[in-house]
Amino acid sequence: MNYRLVIVGPPGAGKGTQAEGFSESLDIPWISTGQAFRDVLASGSELGELIGSYINKGNLVPDDLTDRLVADRLDQNGASNGFLLDGYPRTLDQVEALDRMLEEREAPLDAVIELQIPDEQIVSRLLNRAKVEGRKDDTEEVIRHRIDVYHAKTQPLLDVYRERGLVVGVDGMGTIDEVRERMVANFEKFMAAEGRDAE
Ligand code: AMP
């Protein structure tokens, strides 16, 4: 099935890791705005420098840049062939922008996966990741700011999707395998309740 999915979760919830594995198992493209931005940043271009000025401080990249990136990626992959959007939308305005993109492409969302972990877990997980990956936005100060940004700007969009009956909650605590299995099980249950089979 060509599912069209979004995954939402606080920084450090394991979103990227789980999104990559889950999209592979469903055979749909994984579209990570954070990863795409980091790639542009690494290219050292002028656009990369601009993007770095936001992400290195834990601030959101402006919507116009972000929306354009996602529209491009949806067109490259053919939106109706399915996708897993990781890290987008992140604001209520981006929800509206995505609604418009998907309406134009006649490709409505099937589900929004919410990866849940308590705030106090986030900082220690991200400080550990900093040691492994060396991301500039994984310092304690920037992490705390990213958590605030998540609560203020991103969490409200879950209410919008919940009202639409799209949210599949997944407890993000445990090993990568445990969370992956939980995600698959909850997604299959959700799809079955919708009268659709998740293969
Ligand atoms: P992530 O890899 O999802 O944690 O994203 C890393 C950083 O990329 C974020 O802290 C933001 O600075 C930027 N970013 C990723 N996705 C978005 C988005 N949808 N809107 C704005 N900024 C984003």
Side-chain angles (χ1 to χ4, degrees):
M1 279 293 292
N2 297 327
Y3 294 111
R4 292 178 293 269
L5 308 174
V6 164
I7 184 164
V8 181
K15 203 165 37 81
T17 307
Q18 294 298 341
E20 190 175 9
F22 196 56
S23 64
E24 250 174 47
S25 68
L26 291 174
D27 199 22
I28 51 176
W30 168 43
I31 303 177
S32 160
T33 45
Q35 192 55 53
F37 286 143
R38 281 188 291 281
D39 291 344
V40 181
L41 177 61
S43 76
S45 65
E46 222 170 280
L47 178 62
E49 262 179 44
L50 175 68
I51 284 170
S53 71
Y54 296 100
I55 74 175
N56 290 340
K57 294 193 188 106
N59 290 321
L60 295 181
V61 175
D63 284 344
D64 57 338
L65 270 175
T66 312
D67 295 340
R68 238 185 305 147
L69 173 94
V70 172
D72 278 354
R73 291 297 298 272
L74 289 176
D75 285 337
Q76 276 167 29
N77 293 301
S80 52
N81 295 330
F83 53 79
L84 176 56
L85 273 175
D86 162 10
Y88 183 91
R90 241 176 165 101
T91 63
L92 288 170
D93 285 341
Q94 291 181 6
V95 170
E96 281 181 23
L98 180 63
D99 282 347
R100 284 193 295 273
M101 286 178 219
L102 295 182
E103 229 163 79
E104 279 167 20
R105 292 163 180 79
E106 296 182 12
L109 280 183
D110 293 303
V112 174
I113 295 167
E114 179 192 8
L115 204 50
Q116 304 150 335
I117 66 162
D119 275 2
E120 59 270 20
Q121 284 288 322
I122 298 175
V123 179
S124 60
R125 281 189 183 209
L126 287 182
L127 287 175
N128 268 331
R129 181 171 79 184
K131 285 186 212 143
V132 182
E133 293 181 13
R135 267 174 61 165
K136 269 204 178 146
D137 58 349
D138 280 345
T139 64
E140 182 153 359
E141 192 191 339
V142 177
I143 290 167
R144 292 201 187 280
H145 182 55
R146 284 161 62 210
I147 297 171
D148 289 345
V149 170
Y150 179 76
H151 287 309
K153 303 220 166 123
T154 304
Q155 230 169 8
L157 62 86
L158 285 164
D159 293 333
V160 173
Y161 285 135
R162 208 167 279 121
E163 265 175 37
R164 298 185 194 174
L166 287 176
V167 175
V168 182
V170 178
D171 177 357
M173 297 298 291
T175 64
I176 291 176
D177 284 346
E178 281 164 355
V179 176
R180 180 191 302 130
E181 280 164 26
R182 212 175 284 141
M183 189 178 290
V184 170
N186 293 9
F187 179 66
E188 285 179 353
K189 212 187 299 165
F190 174 83
M191 281 300 164
E194 297 280 297
R196 299 172 53 181
D197 274 339
E199 293 140 26

